[in-house]
Amino acid sequence: MVKNAYTPVTAAVGVENALRLLEGRWKLVILFHLFGGRVRRYSDLEKLIPEISQKMLAQQLRQLEGDGIVLRKVYPQVPPKVEYRLSEWGQALCPALDALLTWAELRDS
Amino acid sequence: MVKNAYTPVTAAVGVENALRLLEGRWKLVILFHLFGGRVRRYSDLEKLIPEISQKMLAQQLRQLEGDGIVLRKVYPQVPPKVEYRLSEWGQALCPALDALLTWAELRDS
DNA sequence: CAGAATCCGCCGAGATACTG
DNA sequence: CAGTATCTCGGCGGATTCTG
């Protein structure tokens, strides 16, 4: 498919679908805690994001995992141990978020 | 403020605030119809986005205007005429949306 | 033409309690 | 430790009707 084949509408839909994956009160906070190849356990994230409820943490992680943005690794042991990290595609988000941040900062200047 | 002063959390908040301005079922569709310096009347947007309701079109435009992303120009005449276009800051969104679109497309490849 | 006003259904998200 | 299970409420977004 050619770049210039995009109509305003189809391009909007493409970005909307992308944005939809990032919506959710806590997803970005979680993602930022995983950037740079960092690996975090469920309990790590709970401590890093004190205001989040267990329900929301689990739910947002499930969605991020289902969307292929984060990877989940379970160690079959007692007590349980689960690690989360970004997928390759998840890491590729960095430039886009940087661009958004840059744009946001532009407002004040 | 120095770039490296960002903690994961504050950076997340910055991007979240930016994303919040773009949330809303129809904002991106509207924005894409205004990119490239295009100027559209209210009725133009209604035709370009047939599925949108008048309420939502007006509401999303108000919010985009309030957030300083689009500009609204009223011609005091009968019948009324109102034109919408992107502010300078709104135009600056392009690179960020491009990056997001690029990221979204990466998934298939 | 460019909207404002109203009513309504759905779901995202918080709080709380429980479990393998 | 790493989650599920419920209950609840607020707000987004759709449909419809009315107006300067």
Side-chain angles (χ1 to χ4, degrees), chain A residues 15-85:
Chain A
V15 178
E16 257 182 75
N17 288 336
L19 276 184
R20 201 158 291 137
L21 305 183
L22 303 178
E23 278 174 26
R25 179 72 184 78
W26 299 102
K27 284 186 184 172
L28 287 176
V29 185
I30 295 172
L31 289 180
F32 274 93
H33 279 294
L34 295 178
F35 268 120
R38 281 188 295 256
V39 177
R40 306 288 198 191
R41 297 183 57 169
Y42 183 89
S43 51
D44 292 335
L45 293 170
E46 269 190 307
K47 285 163 202 154
L48 289 166
I49 315 171
E51 325 86 58
I52 200 173
S53 68
Q54 292 185 321
K55 168 193 165 184
M56 289 311 293
L57 179 54
Q59 179 191 102
Q60 308 273 294
L61 282 170
R62 296 297 176 202
Q63 292 179 12
L64 288 170
E65 185 198 0
D67 291 332
I69 298 174
V70 315
L71 298 175
R72 175 185 142 104
K73 183 168 186 179
V74 182
Y75 295 84
Q77 65 186 34
V78 178
K81 174 179 173 181
V82 182
E83 284 179 349
Y84 295 92
R85 59 195 169 84

Side-chain angles (χ1 to χ4, degrees), chain B residues 53-66:
Chain B
S53 69
Q54 292 184 323
K55 168 191 166 186
M56 289 312 292
L57 180 52
Q59 180 191 103
Q60 307 273 292
L61 282 170
R62 296 296 176 203
Q63 292 180 11
L64 289 170
E65 186 198 0

